[in-house]
Amino acid sequence: QTGKFTYDPGFLSTASCNSTITYIDGDKGELLYRGYPIEQLAVNCDYLDTCYLLLYGELPNTEQRGTFHSRVINHTMVNEQMQFFLRGFRRDAHPMAVLTGLVGALSAFYHDSTDINNPEHREIAAIRLIAKMPTLVAMAYKYTVGQPYIYPKNDLSYAGNFMRMMFATPCEEYKVNPVIERALDRIFILHADHEQNASTSTVRLCGSSGTNPFAAIAAGVACLWGPSHGGANEACLNMLGDIQKMGGVAKVGEFMSQVKDKNSGVKLMGFGHRVYKNYDPRAKLMRETCHEVLGELGLHNDPLFKLAMELEKIALEDDYFVARKLYPNVDFYSGIVQRAIGIPVSLFTAIFALARTVGWIAQLNEMIADPEYKIGRPRQLFVGAEKRDVKPLAER
Ligand code: SDX
């Protein structure tokens, strides 16, 4: 072994593999879902249209759109027993800890959708996961704030239903603001899939063992939680808050010096990417959405947004970042938008997981549908101790 692995179907799950779902050109900063530019999908479609596209390869026509939407809507409730599962958590549990448990627990309820090698099971599991993720995320939130769960209301949009489950109470209805509803739906679209990222590789590898779809998606939720991956939006907002406490825009130079000091371990969260060596197209769309939402809510003087724009301006002109091709990624503005629409910081990554569920499912199904796929089994290049004999204890 020279350390270079030859292509092996078992690697459909982990290393680079062929796919027809998402195309990224990291140098151009281009992102296409099934050939459609993300910029066009974010403006002309809604999240459920995008789910249909990622799952079936084409945008739905009117009839297909109606059928798909009603199938999803008819699966938004979860088994009543799930609320007893939640009771096992501490109230201050991180929503991602709760969500990882809840998603895995779904496999205990839906035996007609656990056989990953059965196309009908995969189909209904996909619908159930897309439909139930908003309900589960809202339940995880309500549990942490000690409020009763709000059941889904199926005459609302996907994003509107989620916001109502999050913020309505038995005493007070939640009126969905169309600008916020549209902004959240766009956040879902922008996070729906992203080729072979860490959590998608996790879902593919996990699913390649033949485990059930719910368990494979739960593994993706766990991986996404990391601050280098989906946890970056929460980390980015915490970073902006820390700079604000240091003194805000006046202290950006001091903060940037810490970032450039390798020993500090300080990263500019929301910047840089394993693939994009240009502006993440999602970050541009997220910044536009930020402007729209803050304008609608009369928050255009939001100090954190102004701080973020100043950070971005300085970084894009700074040789350290330019030389390393570090640009804002999807996480740089998403936290500010979510905070503006009232989402608590602790929920940001759970919302990323909600949106990415369809991408994970589409990628998993693509692998399983390939007759050549085998269980992923990456090898290691052993560089440890030479073969040797065990010495008696007295001689060690
Ligand atoms: C997501 O893969 C995906 O598609 C993921 C994702 C998706 O949709 O699934 O796009 C979602 O995870 C986006 C990334 C969110 N993470 C963050 O914003 C956390 C901050 N970013 C970094 O941790 C970092 O940029 C990574 C982990 C994202 C990428 O790290 P790499 O592979 O080291 O980046 P690189 O090779 O381009 O780094 C080049 C240099 C290195 O320094 P040198 O060794 O050359 O001196 O830039 C440095 C890195 O240390 N660097 C940073 C930095 N990111 C890279 N320095 C300061 N701040 C940063 N954010």
Side-chain angles (χ1 to χ4, degrees), residues 24 193-194 197-199 224 227-230 232 259 262 266-277 280 282 320-321 324 326 329-331 352 356:
I24 301 173
D193 191 54
H194 211 240
N197 57 81
S199 53
L224 187 76
S228 285
H229 190 12
V259 171
K262 284 296 207 187
V266 175
K267 293 264 188 192
L268 182 55
M269 301 311 280
F271 256 72
H273 199 272
R274 295 307 311 269
V275 177
Y276 289 121
K277 302 310 169 192
D280 181 336
R282 302 169 298 175
Y320 178 93
F321 291 88
R324 291 167 174 79
L326 300 178
N329 60 50
V330 67
D331 294 302
F352 192 151
R356 183 54 57 88

Side-chain angles (χ1 to χ4, degrees), residues 8 42 52 56 99 138 170 178 323 326 344 375 378:
D8 172 331
Y52 188 97
Y56 306 115
L99 191 64
L326 300 178
I375 183 169

Side-chain angles (χ1 to χ4, degrees), residues 9 16 20 24 32 62-63 72 84 104 207 209 219 261 363 367 388:
S16 52
T20 61
I24 301 173
L32 313 177
T62 308
E63 188 196 340
V72 169
F84 303 115
S209 73
D261 169 10
Q363 297 271 352
M367 176 188 74
R388 52 185 169 164

Side-chain angles (χ1 to χ4, degrees), residues 195-218:
E195 199 226 66
Q196 190 80 336
N197 57 81
S199 53
T200 298
S201 301
T202 303
V203 169
R204 277 180 170 250
L205 185 58
C206 186
S208 73
S209 73
T211 188
N212 69 78
F214 305 104
I217 300 303

